[in-house]
Amino acid sequence: MFKKGLIVAILSVLMAMGMGMNVLAELNVPPVEYDTSKEMTPEIAAIIESIEKANVKIYTEIYKVQGETNSLYKKYLEDLEATQDETQKAMLWKKYDEKINEMIKSLDAKTQSITKKEVEKAKSAGVTVEVVWITVQFADREANIDPMVGVGW
């Protein structure tokens, strides 16, 4: 008797889950649309445009450093294949590691400076800005960089 009850309970749960998933997976839900043209003043629009320009600068710097680190990594690998001496390999790694870390550190300082300036500008205009850390791949390592998003006014 217990086995039949357990089997019925399990089948009931599975059937309820199978039927319930179709309701939750509604795909044709229209997005919520807001008419911000009535709410946005020219000052706020200028600040948001300034934030977007700052983000373009940040992403441009990220792509530039990514290209430089990728070419530096490629050269490091070529030099590593050319040498057999372990001390030279260690020197190559140390030199490469210091150079890459310096490039990422410099990029981070530059992007934080841009972000700080734009956040202060936005705050004085009454726009709320959120700094969003994104993970960026630089050759053989990752780092967090900080573009911004205007979240309210």
Side-chain angles (χ1 to χ4, degrees):
M1 184 71 176
F2 178 70
K3 289 181 184 178
K4 287 182 184 178
L6 181 62
I7 291 172
V8 169
I10 290 173
L11 288 176
S12 298
V13 169
L14 289 174
M15 193 166 68
M17 287 177 52
M19 293 176 136
M21 290 301 153
N22 293 336
V23 174
L24 296 175
E26 180 70 34
L27 294 177
N28 296 327
V29 178
V32 178
E33 294 183 19
Y34 297 102
D35 185 15
T36 58
S37 63
K38 294 178 183 174
E39 300 172 7
M40 192 178 298
T41 64
E43 295 83 21
I44 292 173
I47 291 297
I48 291 175
E49 186 177 336
S50 177
I51 290 169
E52 290 304 316
K53 285 181 181 178
N55 280 338
V56 168
K57 275 189 215 175
I58 289 170
Y59 282 111
T60 301
E61 290 298 321
I62 288 171
Y63 295 139
K64 186 173 111 182
V65 172
Q66 278 180 323
E68 291 172 0
T69 57
N70 287 339
S71 63
L72 195 62
Y73 183 62
K74 185 179 175 183
K75 180 165 177 10
Y76 163 72
L77 290 177
E78 290 170 356
D79 292 345
L80 194 62
E81 283 183 22
T83 185
Q84 297 297 324
D85 187 23
E86 291 301 319
T87 56
Q88 283 183 338
K89 286 182 179 183
M91 281 286 269
L92 284 173
W93 170 254
K94 183 179 177 189
K95 189 175 171 183
Y96 164 76
D97 190 49
E98 288 174 356
K99 182 79 171 169
I100 292 283
N101 286 338
E102 183 59 39
M103 292 169 83
I104 293 171
K105 188 176 176 181
S106 173
L107 173 68
D108 188 38
K110 193 174 202 175
T111 59
Q112 284 187 21
S113 168
I114 294 169
T115 301
K116 183 179 178 184
K117 186 172 76 170
E118 288 300 319
V119 167
E120 288 172 0
K121 239 197 294 188
K123 193 180 287 186
S124 67
V127 176
T128 306
V129 176
E130 183 177 319
V131 177
V132 181
W133 292 91
I134 60 169
T135 303
V136 180
Q137 183 76 35
F138 295 101
D140 63 336
R141 60 196 73 199
E142 295 178 340
N144 289 326
I145 306 295
D146 57 341
M148 306 161 276
V149 177
V151 292
W153 53 87

